[in-house]
Amino acid sequence: MTVAPTRGRSRKPVTLPLGGVESENHPWRIRLVEHPKRFESSFFRAAKRAAQQILREVSDDDLPYGPRPTAPEHWEMHHGGSLWVKGNSGWRMYRARVGIEWSMQFCAEPVKVDRLRREAAELVDAFPLTLPALRDLGYEEAEELLRTPVRDADGVEAWTDSLFNACVPMSRGNHQGILPKVPGEHHYPWPVKGADFVRYDDFQLWVTLPDGTHGAVAPVDRRGSGDGHVRLAFVPEGSEAAPALARAQDLGLMAVLPPNSSAALQAFSAQITPGSRTAAAAPAAGHTARHGGAHHPRNRRST
């Protein structure tokens, strides 16, 4: 694995050098217990009913996260900060500054949750069609939720299970999935997982690394540059690549894999000729690009 700088010169690391693995004389243990039956509040049932009606009105092209599930799958409602509003062109969903997962309500401070309520109210007020439309759908508690300060655990619960937090619609895979099938938001960092919803369809974000673990990669240059290097954006703890990625981050660098690496070949597999041994394309005549403060010849991929 090579490391490429993200700026002109790297800084000297300020952290202690990595050492060996230490263990305690009294090892910790995790007890696995049966999960108690989750209580579904009246707030959540009402929010889900409203969200399902909204989703029936939203066109397939305007769905926020992936295609509409087909039977036997169904929408799963993620507690991810779902700010639904209605404008002149129909329903839209924005994400709150943070979402409150169901279990996280029990450590949530009311004054901090109230800030989320106030921010949501300001957004909804900018879309005056929203509250009348929600009343028409039978979600009459919307205005009270937006106007009532959150002062205690009851208020936190009401907000956590409301339409303005608990109804980010996702397929089961995008919600709870684990690689190698589908990476779900619960298990992979959102700054990386979010790219699944904006990437080109012919770019493979998630790849299998040589040690069998799965990671996420990103191109190092814009589409069409022909540069087949990929930046390692995420690997799970325990991957053989994890120390290199951590060290690169400590140094303010990128962990970069070459165009002939298996990760790069997987990432660009739909953009290169089958059987290619490199993800870099043939050079385009006369094409140069500025990179890292100097001019370097570049290749241009045809797609």
Short mmCIF file of all heavy atoms in Angstrom, two decimals, residues 5-72:
data_model
loop_
_atom_site.label_atom_id
_atom_site.label_comp_id
_atom_site.label_asym_id
_atom_site.label_seq_id
_atom_site.Cartn_x
_atom_site.Cartn_y
_atom_site.Cartn_z
N PRO A 5 0.24 12.22 -0.30
CA PRO A 5 -0.10 13.35 0.56
C PRO A 5 -1.34 14.06 0.09
O PRO A 5 -1.64 14.12 -1.09
CB PRO A 5 1.14 14.25 0.45
CG PRO A 5 1.73 13.91 -0.87
CD PRO A 5 1.46 12.45 -1.07
N THR A 6 -2.08 14.64 1.04
CA THR A 6 -3.24 15.45 0.70
C THR A 6 -2.88 16.92 0.59
O THR A 6 -3.69 17.72 0.17
CB THR A 6 -4.32 15.29 1.78
OG1 THR A 6 -3.76 15.62 3.05
CG2 THR A 6 -4.83 13.86 1.82
N ARG A 7 -1.67 17.28 0.95
CA ARG A 7 -1.24 18.66 0.80
C ARG A 7 0.26 18.67 0.49
O ARG A 7 0.90 17.63 0.43
CB ARG A 7 -1.55 19.47 2.07
CG ARG A 7 -1.08 18.83 3.37
CD ARG A 7 -1.45 19.73 4.52
NE ARG A 7 -1.02 19.20 5.79
CZ ARG A 7 -1.77 18.47 6.58
NH1 ARG A 7 -2.99 18.16 6.21
NH2 ARG A 7 -1.32 18.02 7.74
N GLY A 8 0.81 19.86 0.32
CA GLY A 8 2.18 19.98 -0.14
C GLY A 8 3.19 19.26 0.72
O GLY A 8 4.08 18.60 0.24
N ARG A 9 3.10 19.39 2.02
CA ARG A 9 4.03 18.70 2.90
C ARG A 9 3.27 18.15 4.09
O ARG A 9 2.28 18.70 4.54
CB ARG A 9 5.13 19.64 3.38
CG ARG A 9 4.64 20.86 4.16
CD ARG A 9 5.78 21.80 4.52
NE ARG A 9 5.30 22.94 5.28
CZ ARG A 9 5.15 22.96 6.59
NH1 ARG A 9 5.42 21.85 7.28
NH2 ARG A 9 4.72 24.03 7.24
N SER A 10 3.71 17.05 4.59
CA SER A 10 3.03 16.41 5.72
C SER A 10 3.57 16.97 7.02
O SER A 10 4.71 17.42 7.09
CB SER A 10 3.23 14.90 5.67
OG SER A 10 4.61 14.59 5.81
N ARG A 11 2.74 16.93 8.05
CA ARG A 11 3.19 17.37 9.35
C ARG A 11 3.79 16.20 10.11
O ARG A 11 3.49 15.05 9.83
CB ARG A 11 2.02 17.96 10.15
CG ARG A 11 0.91 16.95 10.40
CD ARG A 11 -0.19 17.59 11.25
NE ARG A 11 -1.31 16.69 11.41
CZ ARG A 11 -1.37 15.71 12.31
NH1 ARG A 11 -0.34 15.51 13.12
NH2 ARG A 11 -2.42 14.94 12.41
N LYS A 12 4.62 16.52 11.07
CA LYS A 12 5.19 15.47 11.90
C LYS A 12 4.13 14.94 12.85
O LYS A 12 3.38 15.71 13.44
CB LYS A 12 6.36 16.04 12.71
CG LYS A 12 7.12 14.99 13.52
CD LYS A 12 8.30 15.62 14.24
CE LYS A 12 9.05 14.58 15.06
NZ LYS A 12 10.21 15.18 15.77
N PRO A 13 3.97 13.62 12.96
CA PRO A 13 2.93 13.10 13.83
C PRO A 13 3.16 13.51 15.27
O PRO A 13 4.28 13.55 15.76
CB PRO A 13 3.05 11.58 13.66
CG PRO A 13 4.45 11.37 13.17
CD PRO A 13 4.79 12.57 12.35
N VAL A 14 2.07 13.82 15.95
CA VAL A 14 2.18 14.25 17.34
C VAL A 14 1.75 13.15 18.30
O VAL A 14 1.86 13.31 19.51
CB VAL A 14 1.32 15.51 17.58
CG1 VAL A 14 1.85 16.67 16.76
CG2 VAL A 14 -0.13 15.25 17.24
N THR A 15 1.26 12.04 17.76
CA THR A 15 0.83 10.96 18.63
C THR A 15 1.99 10.02 18.90
O THR A 15 3.00 10.02 18.20
CB THR A 15 -0.31 10.17 17.98
OG1 THR A 15 0.13 9.70 16.70
CG2 THR A 15 -1.53 11.04 17.78
N LEU A 16 1.84 9.21 19.95
CA LEU A 16 2.87 8.24 20.29
C LEU A 16 2.94 7.16 19.21
O LEU A 16 1.93 6.82 18.60
CB LEU A 16 2.55 7.60 21.65
CG LEU A 16 2.62 8.54 22.85
CD1 LEU A 16 2.13 7.80 24.09
CD2 LEU A 16 4.04 9.04 23.06
N PRO A 17 4.13 6.62 18.97
CA PRO A 17 4.25 5.53 17.99
C PRO A 17 3.39 4.35 18.40
O PRO A 17 3.19 4.07 19.58
CB PRO A 17 5.74 5.17 18.04
CG PRO A 17 6.41 6.35 18.64
CD PRO A 17 5.41 6.97 19.58
N LEU A 18 2.86 3.64 17.38
CA LEU A 18 2.04 2.47 17.65
C LEU A 18 2.90 1.38 18.28
O LEU A 18 4.04 1.16 17.88
CB LEU A 18 1.40 1.95 16.36
CG LEU A 18 0.42 2.90 15.69
CD1 LEU A 18 -0.07 2.30 14.39
CD2 LEU A 18 -0.75 3.20 16.60
N GLY A 19 2.36 0.70 19.28
CA GLY A 19 3.10 -0.37 19.93
C GLY A 19 2.34 -1.67 19.85
O GLY A 19 1.44 -1.84 19.03
N GLY A 20 2.71 -2.60 20.71
CA GLY A 20 2.06 -3.90 20.70
C GLY A 20 0.71 -3.86 21.40
O GLY A 20 0.29 -2.84 21.93
N VAL A 21 0.05 -4.99 21.37
CA VAL A 21 -1.26 -5.11 22.00
C VAL A 21 -1.08 -5.47 23.46
O VAL A 21 -0.34 -6.40 23.80
CB VAL A 21 -2.11 -6.19 21.28
CG1 VAL A 21 -3.44 -6.37 22.00
CG2 VAL A 21 -2.31 -5.80 19.83
N GLU A 22 -1.74 -4.73 24.33
CA GLU A 22 -1.67 -4.99 25.77
C GLU A 22 -2.95 -5.67 26.23
O GLU A 22 -4.01 -5.51 25.63
CB GLU A 22 -1.47 -3.67 26.54
CG GLU A 22 -0.19 -2.95 26.20
CD GLU A 22 1.05 -3.67 26.68
OE1 GLU A 22 0.91 -4.47 27.63
OE2 GLU A 22 2.13 -3.47 26.12
N SER A 23 -2.87 -6.42 27.32
CA SER A 23 -4.05 -7.05 27.88
C SER A 23 -4.03 -6.87 29.38
O SER A 23 -2.97 -6.65 29.99
CB SER A 23 -4.10 -8.54 27.53
OG SER A 23 -2.96 -9.21 28.06
N GLU A 24 -5.18 -6.95 30.00
CA GLU A 24 -5.30 -6.80 31.44
C GLU A 24 -5.31 -8.17 32.12
O GLU A 24 -5.62 -9.19 31.50
CB GLU A 24 -6.60 -6.05 31.78
CG GLU A 24 -6.62 -4.61 31.27
CD GLU A 24 -5.68 -3.70 32.02
OE1 GLU A 24 -5.25 -4.08 33.13
OE2 GLU A 24 -5.38 -2.62 31.51
N ASN A 25 -4.97 -8.18 33.41
CA ASN A 25 -5.04 -9.42 34.17
C ASN A 25 -6.48 -9.88 34.38
O ASN A 25 -6.75 -11.05 34.57
CB ASN A 25 -4.37 -9.24 35.54
CG ASN A 25 -2.87 -9.04 35.40
OD1 ASN A 25 -2.27 -9.54 34.46
ND2 ASN A 25 -2.28 -8.29 36.33
N HIS A 26 -7.41 -8.91 34.35
CA HIS A 26 -8.82 -9.24 34.54
C HIS A 26 -9.55 -8.89 33.24
O HIS A 26 -9.95 -7.74 33.03
CB HIS A 26 -9.40 -8.45 35.71
CG HIS A 26 -8.67 -8.67 37.00
ND1 HIS A 26 -8.84 -9.82 37.75
CD2 HIS A 26 -7.75 -7.93 37.65
CE1 HIS A 26 -8.06 -9.75 38.81
NE2 HIS A 26 -7.38 -8.62 38.76
N PRO A 27 -9.69 -9.85 32.33
CA PRO A 27 -10.29 -9.54 31.02
C PRO A 27 -11.76 -9.13 31.16
O PRO A 27 -12.47 -9.59 32.05
CB PRO A 27 -10.17 -10.87 30.27
CG PRO A 27 -10.08 -11.91 31.33
CD PRO A 27 -9.35 -11.27 32.47
N TRP A 28 -12.19 -8.23 30.27
CA TRP A 28 -13.58 -7.81 30.27
C TRP A 28 -14.44 -8.86 29.58
O TRP A 28 -13.96 -9.66 28.78
CB TRP A 28 -13.74 -6.46 29.58
CG TRP A 28 -13.12 -6.37 28.22
CD1 TRP A 28 -11.89 -5.90 27.91
CD2 TRP A 28 -13.70 -6.78 26.98
NE1 TRP A 28 -11.64 -5.99 26.57
CE2 TRP A 28 -12.75 -6.53 25.97
CE3 TRP A 28 -14.93 -7.34 26.62
CZ2 TRP A 28 -12.98 -6.80 24.63
CZ3 TRP A 28 -15.17 -7.62 25.28
CH2 TRP A 28 -14.20 -7.34 24.31
N ARG A 29 -15.71 -8.86 29.89
CA ARG A 29 -16.64 -9.79 29.27
C ARG A 29 -17.89 -9.03 28.87
O ARG A 29 -18.26 -8.05 29.49
CB ARG A 29 -17.03 -10.92 30.23
CG ARG A 29 -15.87 -11.84 30.60
CD ARG A 29 -16.34 -12.93 31.55
NE ARG A 29 -15.24 -13.82 31.92
CZ ARG A 29 -15.38 -14.86 32.74
NH1 ARG A 29 -16.56 -15.13 33.27
NH2 ARG A 29 -14.34 -15.61 33.02
N ILE A 30 -18.50 -9.50 27.80
CA ILE A 30 -19.79 -8.95 27.36
C ILE A 30 -20.83 -10.04 27.49
O ILE A 30 -20.66 -11.15 26.97
CB ILE A 30 -19.73 -8.45 25.91
CG1 ILE A 30 -18.74 -7.29 25.80
CG2 ILE A 30 -21.11 -8.02 25.41
CD1 ILE A 30 -18.55 -6.78 24.39
N ARG A 31 -21.88 -9.76 28.21
CA ARG A 31 -22.96 -10.74 28.38
C ARG A 31 -24.01 -10.51 27.28
O ARG A 31 -24.50 -9.40 27.10
CB ARG A 31 -23.60 -10.60 29.76
CG ARG A 31 -24.67 -11.67 30.04
CD ARG A 31 -25.32 -11.41 31.39
NE ARG A 31 -24.35 -11.48 32.47
CZ ARG A 31 -24.00 -12.62 33.07
NH1 ARG A 31 -24.54 -13.75 32.69
NH2 ARG A 31 -23.11 -12.60 34.05
N LEU A 32 -24.34 -11.55 26.55
CA LEU A 32 -25.38 -11.48 25.53
C LEU A 32 -26.69 -11.92 26.14
O LEU A 32 -26.81 -13.05 26.62
CB LEU A 32 -25.02 -12.38 24.34
CG LEU A 32 -23.70 -12.05 23.65
CD1 LEU A 32 -23.47 -12.98 22.47
CD2 LEU A 32 -23.66 -10.60 23.20
N VAL A 33 -27.65 -11.03 26.16
CA VAL A 33 -28.94 -11.33 26.78
C VAL A 33 -30.04 -11.19 25.75
O VAL A 33 -29.88 -10.52 24.73
CB VAL A 33 -29.21 -10.38 27.98
CG1 VAL A 33 -28.14 -10.53 29.04
CG2 VAL A 33 -29.30 -8.93 27.50
N GLU A 34 -31.15 -11.82 26.03
CA GLU A 34 -32.29 -11.73 25.12
C GLU A 34 -32.83 -10.31 25.13
O GLU A 34 -33.03 -9.71 26.18
CB GLU A 34 -33.39 -12.71 25.56
CG GLU A 34 -34.58 -12.74 24.62
CD GLU A 34 -35.61 -13.77 25.04
OE1 GLU A 34 -35.29 -14.60 25.92
OE2 GLU A 34 -36.74 -13.72 24.50
N HIS A 35 -33.03 -9.77 23.94
CA HIS A 35 -33.52 -8.40 23.83
C HIS A 35 -34.98 -8.35 24.26
O HIS A 35 -35.81 -9.11 23.77
CB HIS A 35 -33.39 -7.92 22.37
CG HIS A 35 -33.46 -6.43 22.21
ND1 HIS A 35 -34.60 -5.71 22.50
CD2 HIS A 35 -32.54 -5.54 21.81
CE1 HIS A 35 -34.37 -4.44 22.27
NE2 HIS A 35 -33.13 -4.30 21.85
N PRO A 36 -35.33 -7.46 25.19
CA PRO A 36 -36.74 -7.35 25.57
C PRO A 36 -37.57 -6.88 24.39
O PRO A 36 -37.05 -6.18 23.49
CB PRO A 36 -36.71 -6.30 26.68
CG PRO A 36 -35.47 -5.51 26.44
CD PRO A 36 -34.48 -6.48 25.87
N LYS A 37 -38.81 -7.28 24.35
CA LYS A 37 -39.69 -6.87 23.26
C LYS A 37 -39.74 -5.36 23.20
O LYS A 37 -40.04 -4.69 24.19
CB LYS A 37 -41.09 -7.45 23.46
CG LYS A 37 -42.03 -7.15 22.31
CD LYS A 37 -43.36 -7.86 22.50
CE LYS A 37 -44.34 -7.51 21.37
NZ LYS A 37 -43.81 -7.88 20.04
N ARG A 38 -39.43 -4.82 22.04
CA ARG A 38 -39.37 -3.37 21.90
C ARG A 38 -40.77 -2.78 21.94
O ARG A 38 -41.66 -3.22 21.23
CB ARG A 38 -38.66 -3.01 20.59
CG ARG A 38 -38.62 -1.52 20.33
CD ARG A 38 -37.64 -1.21 19.22
NE ARG A 38 -37.80 0.13 18.70
CZ ARG A 38 -36.99 0.69 17.81
NH1 ARG A 38 -35.97 0.01 17.36
NH2 ARG A 38 -37.20 1.91 17.39
N PHE A 39 -40.91 -1.75 22.73
CA PHE A 39 -42.19 -1.07 22.84
C PHE A 39 -42.32 -0.08 21.69
O PHE A 39 -41.46 0.76 21.47
CB PHE A 39 -42.28 -0.34 24.18
CG PHE A 39 -43.47 0.57 24.30
CD1 PHE A 39 -44.74 0.05 24.46
CD2 PHE A 39 -43.32 1.94 24.24
CE1 PHE A 39 -45.85 0.88 24.57
CE2 PHE A 39 -44.42 2.79 24.34
CZ PHE A 39 -45.68 2.25 24.51
N GLU A 40 -43.39 -0.20 20.93
CA GLU A 40 -43.63 0.72 19.83
C GLU A 40 -44.64 1.76 20.30
O GLU A 40 -45.81 1.46 20.53
CB GLU A 40 -44.15 -0.03 18.60
CG GLU A 40 -44.20 0.85 17.36
CD GLU A 40 -44.55 0.05 16.12
OE1 GLU A 40 -45.76 -0.08 15.81
OE2 GLU A 40 -43.62 -0.44 15.46
N SER A 41 -44.17 2.98 20.45
CA SER A 41 -45.01 4.02 21.03
C SER A 41 -46.10 4.46 20.06
O SER A 41 -46.02 4.25 18.85
CB SER A 41 -44.14 5.23 21.41
OG SER A 41 -43.68 5.88 20.24
N SER A 42 -47.11 5.10 20.62
CA SER A 42 -48.18 5.66 19.79
C SER A 42 -47.62 6.74 18.87
O SER A 42 -48.12 6.94 17.75
CB SER A 42 -49.29 6.23 20.67
OG SER A 42 -48.78 7.26 21.52
N PHE A 43 -46.58 7.45 19.33
CA PHE A 43 -45.96 8.48 18.49
C PHE A 43 -45.36 7.85 17.22
O PHE A 43 -45.51 8.39 16.13
CB PHE A 43 -44.84 9.19 19.26
CG PHE A 43 -45.28 9.78 20.57
CD1 PHE A 43 -44.85 9.22 21.77
CD2 PHE A 43 -46.13 10.88 20.62
CE1 PHE A 43 -45.24 9.76 22.98
CE2 PHE A 43 -46.52 11.42 21.83
CZ PHE A 43 -46.09 10.85 23.01
N PHE A 44 -44.69 6.69 17.40
CA PHE A 44 -44.05 6.04 16.26
C PHE A 44 -45.09 5.45 15.31
O PHE A 44 -44.95 5.53 14.09
CB PHE A 44 -43.10 4.95 16.76
CG PHE A 44 -42.19 4.40 15.70
CD1 PHE A 44 -41.72 5.19 14.65
CD2 PHE A 44 -41.79 3.07 15.75
CE1 PHE A 44 -40.87 4.68 13.68
CE2 PHE A 44 -40.94 2.55 14.78
CZ PHE A 44 -40.48 3.35 13.75
N ARG A 45 -46.16 4.86 15.85
CA ARG A 45 -47.19 4.30 14.99
C ARG A 45 -47.83 5.39 14.13
O ARG A 45 -48.05 5.22 12.93
CB ARG A 45 -48.26 3.59 15.83
CG ARG A 45 -47.76 2.31 16.49
CD ARG A 45 -48.92 1.46 16.99
NE ARG A 45 -49.67 2.14 18.04
CZ ARG A 45 -49.39 2.05 19.34
NH1 ARG A 45 -48.36 1.32 19.74
NH2 ARG A 45 -50.12 2.69 20.23
N ALA A 46 -48.10 6.54 14.73
CA ALA A 46 -48.69 7.66 13.98
C ALA A 46 -47.72 8.19 12.93
O ALA A 46 -48.11 8.49 11.80
CB ALA A 46 -49.09 8.77 14.94
N ALA A 47 -46.45 8.29 13.30
CA ALA A 47 -45.44 8.79 12.36
C ALA A 47 -45.29 7.85 11.17
O ALA A 47 -45.19 8.29 10.02
CB ALA A 47 -44.10 8.95 13.08
N LYS A 48 -45.27 6.54 11.43
CA LYS A 48 -45.13 5.58 10.33
C LYS A 48 -46.33 5.63 9.39
O LYS A 48 -46.16 5.53 8.17
CB LYS A 48 -44.96 4.17 10.89
CG LYS A 48 -43.61 3.90 11.50
CD LYS A 48 -43.33 2.41 11.65
CE LYS A 48 -44.33 1.75 12.57
NZ LYS A 48 -44.02 0.31 12.75
N ARG A 49 -47.53 5.76 9.94
CA ARG A 49 -48.71 5.87 9.08
C ARG A 49 -48.60 7.07 8.15
O ARG A 49 -48.89 6.99 6.95
CB ARG A 49 -49.99 5.96 9.92
CG ARG A 49 -50.41 4.65 10.56
CD ARG A 49 -51.85 4.75 11.07
NE ARG A 49 -51.99 5.76 12.12
CZ ARG A 49 -51.85 5.50 13.42
NH1 ARG A 49 -51.54 4.28 13.83
NH2 ARG A 49 -52.02 6.47 14.32
N ALA A 50 -48.17 8.21 8.71
CA ALA A 50 -48.03 9.41 7.90
C ALA A 50 -46.94 9.23 6.85
O ALA A 50 -47.12 9.61 5.68
CB ALA A 50 -47.71 10.61 8.80
N ALA A 51 -45.81 8.65 7.25
CA ALA A 51 -44.71 8.45 6.30
C ALA A 51 -45.12 7.53 5.16
O ALA A 51 -44.77 7.78 3.99
CB ALA A 51 -43.50 7.89 7.04
N GLN A 52 -45.86 6.47 5.46
CA GLN A 52 -46.28 5.55 4.40
C GLN A 52 -47.20 6.26 3.41
O GLN A 52 -47.11 6.02 2.19
CB GLN A 52 -47.00 4.34 5.02
CG GLN A 52 -46.11 3.42 5.84
CD GLN A 52 -45.16 2.59 5.00
OE1 GLN A 52 -45.18 2.65 3.77
NE2 GLN A 52 -44.31 1.82 5.66
N GLN A 53 -48.06 7.12 3.91
CA GLN A 53 -48.93 7.87 3.00
C GLN A 53 -48.13 8.86 2.16
O GLN A 53 -48.39 9.02 0.96
CB GLN A 53 -50.00 8.60 3.81
CG GLN A 53 -50.99 7.67 4.48
CD GLN A 53 -52.08 8.43 5.22
OE1 GLN A 53 -53.03 8.94 4.62
NE2 GLN A 53 -51.93 8.53 6.54
N ILE A 54 -47.15 9.49 2.77
CA ILE A 54 -46.29 10.41 2.02
C ILE A 54 -45.56 9.66 0.92
O ILE A 54 -45.50 10.10 -0.23
CB ILE A 54 -45.28 11.09 2.97
CG1 ILE A 54 -45.99 12.09 3.87
CG2 ILE A 54 -44.18 11.78 2.17
CD1 ILE A 54 -45.10 12.66 4.97
N LEU A 55 -45.02 8.48 1.24
CA LEU A 55 -44.26 7.71 0.26
C LEU A 55 -45.12 7.26 -0.90
O LEU A 55 -44.62 7.10 -2.03
CB LEU A 55 -43.60 6.52 0.95
CG LEU A 55 -42.44 6.87 1.88
CD1 LEU A 55 -42.07 5.69 2.78
CD2 LEU A 55 -41.23 7.35 1.09
N ARG A 56 -46.39 7.04 -0.65
CA ARG A 56 -47.28 6.67 -1.77
C ARG A 56 -47.47 7.85 -2.73
O ARG A 56 -47.76 7.65 -3.90
CB ARG A 56 -48.62 6.19 -1.22
CG ARG A 56 -48.58 4.78 -0.66
CD ARG A 56 -49.96 4.23 -0.43
NE ARG A 56 -50.58 4.76 0.77
CZ ARG A 56 -50.45 4.23 1.99
NH1 ARG A 56 -49.72 3.14 2.16
NH2 ARG A 56 -51.05 4.78 3.03
N GLU A 57 -47.31 9.07 -2.21
CA GLU A 57 -47.47 10.25 -3.06
C GLU A 57 -46.18 10.62 -3.79
O GLU A 57 -46.21 11.35 -4.79
CB GLU A 57 -47.92 11.45 -2.22
CG GLU A 57 -49.29 11.30 -1.59
CD GLU A 57 -49.71 12.54 -0.81
OE1 GLU A 57 -49.10 13.62 -1.02
OE2 GLU A 57 -50.64 12.44 0.01
N VAL A 58 -45.04 10.16 -3.28
CA VAL A 58 -43.74 10.53 -3.85
C VAL A 58 -43.43 9.66 -5.05
O VAL A 58 -43.60 8.44 -5.00
CB VAL A 58 -42.63 10.38 -2.78
CG1 VAL A 58 -41.26 10.64 -3.39
CG2 VAL A 58 -42.88 11.33 -1.62
N SER A 59 -42.98 10.28 -6.13
CA SER A 59 -42.61 9.51 -7.32
C SER A 59 -41.34 8.73 -7.07
O SER A 59 -40.55 9.06 -6.18
CB SER A 59 -42.41 10.45 -8.52
OG SER A 59 -41.24 11.24 -8.33
N ASP A 60 -41.13 7.69 -7.86
CA ASP A 60 -39.92 6.87 -7.69
C ASP A 60 -38.65 7.69 -7.82
O ASP A 60 -37.66 7.45 -7.13
CB ASP A 60 -39.91 5.73 -8.71
CG ASP A 60 -40.96 4.66 -8.39
OD1 ASP A 60 -41.57 4.73 -7.31
OD2 ASP A 60 -41.17 3.77 -9.23
N ASP A 61 -38.66 8.68 -8.71
CA ASP A 61 -37.46 9.50 -8.92
C ASP A 61 -37.16 10.40 -7.74
O ASP A 61 -36.02 10.86 -7.59
CB ASP A 61 -37.62 10.35 -10.18
CG ASP A 61 -37.60 9.53 -11.46
OD1 ASP A 61 -37.07 8.40 -11.43
OD2 ASP A 61 -38.11 10.02 -12.49
N ASP A 62 -38.14 10.67 -6.90
CA ASP A 62 -37.95 11.59 -5.78
C ASP A 62 -37.76 10.89 -4.44
O ASP A 62 -37.66 11.56 -3.40
CB ASP A 62 -39.14 12.56 -5.68
CG ASP A 62 -39.16 13.56 -6.82
OD1 ASP A 62 -38.07 13.86 -7.35
OD2 ASP A 62 -40.25 14.03 -7.18
N LEU A 63 -37.70 9.56 -4.43
CA LEU A 63 -37.46 8.86 -3.18
C LEU A 63 -36.07 9.20 -2.66
O LEU A 63 -35.12 9.28 -3.43
CB LEU A 63 -37.58 7.34 -3.39
CG LEU A 63 -38.99 6.84 -3.72
CD1 LEU A 63 -38.94 5.37 -4.13
CD2 LEU A 63 -39.93 7.03 -2.53
N PRO A 64 -35.91 9.40 -1.35
CA PRO A 64 -34.61 9.88 -0.86
C PRO A 64 -33.48 8.87 -0.89
O PRO A 64 -32.33 9.24 -1.15
CB PRO A 64 -34.93 10.30 0.59
CG PRO A 64 -36.16 9.54 0.96
CD PRO A 64 -36.93 9.36 -0.30
N TYR A 65 -33.77 7.57 -0.65
CA TYR A 65 -32.68 6.60 -0.52
C TYR A 65 -32.99 5.30 -1.23
O TYR A 65 -33.48 4.34 -0.63
CB TYR A 65 -32.38 6.32 0.96
CG TYR A 65 -31.86 7.52 1.69
CD1 TYR A 65 -32.54 8.04 2.78
CD2 TYR A 65 -30.70 8.16 1.28
CE1 TYR A 65 -32.08 9.16 3.44
CE2 TYR A 65 -30.23 9.29 1.93
CZ TYR A 65 -30.92 9.78 3.00
OH TYR A 65 -30.46 10.89 3.65
N GLY A 66 -32.71 5.27 -2.51
CA GLY A 66 -32.84 4.04 -3.25
C GLY A 66 -34.25 3.76 -3.73
O GLY A 66 -35.20 4.50 -3.41
N PRO A 67 -34.42 2.69 -4.50
CA PRO A 67 -35.73 2.38 -5.09
C PRO A 67 -36.73 1.89 -4.06
O PRO A 67 -36.39 1.49 -2.96
CB PRO A 67 -35.39 1.26 -6.09
CG PRO A 67 -34.17 0.61 -5.54
CD PRO A 67 -33.38 1.73 -4.90
N ARG A 68 -37.98 1.92 -4.46
CA ARG A 68 -39.08 1.46 -3.61
C ARG A 68 -38.97 -0.06 -3.41
O ARG A 68 -38.79 -0.80 -4.38
CB ARG A 68 -40.40 1.80 -4.30
CG ARG A 68 -41.62 1.82 -3.42
CD ARG A 68 -42.85 2.22 -4.23
NE ARG A 68 -42.69 3.50 -4.87
CZ ARG A 68 -43.01 4.67 -4.32
NH1 ARG A 68 -43.51 4.69 -3.09
NH2 ARG A 68 -42.84 5.81 -4.97
N PRO A 69 -39.03 -0.55 -2.18
CA PRO A 69 -38.92 -1.99 -1.96
C PRO A 69 -40.07 -2.75 -2.61
O PRO A 69 -41.19 -2.23 -2.73
CB PRO A 69 -38.99 -2.13 -0.43
CG PRO A 69 -38.68 -0.78 0.10
CD PRO A 69 -39.17 0.19 -0.92
N THR A 70 -39.78 -3.96 -3.06
CA THR A 70 -40.81 -4.82 -3.62
C THR A 70 -41.03 -6.00 -2.68
O THR A 70 -40.11 -6.44 -1.99
CB THR A 70 -40.39 -5.33 -5.01
OG1 THR A 70 -39.12 -6.00 -4.91
CG2 THR A 70 -40.27 -4.18 -5.99
N ALA A 71 -42.25 -6.51 -2.66
CA ALA A 71 -42.61 -7.61 -1.77
C ALA A 71 -41.66 -8.80 -1.98
O ALA A 71 -41.26 -9.06 -3.11
CB ALA A 71 -44.05 -8.02 -2.02
N PRO A 72 -41.27 -9.49 -0.92
CA PRO A 72 -41.78 -9.38 0.46
C PRO A 72 -41.10 -8.29 1.29
O PRO A 72 -41.41 -8.15 2.46
CB PRO A 72 -41.46 -10.76 1.03
CG PRO A 72 -40.20 -11.16 0.34
CD PRO A 72 -40.32 -10.62 -1.06
#
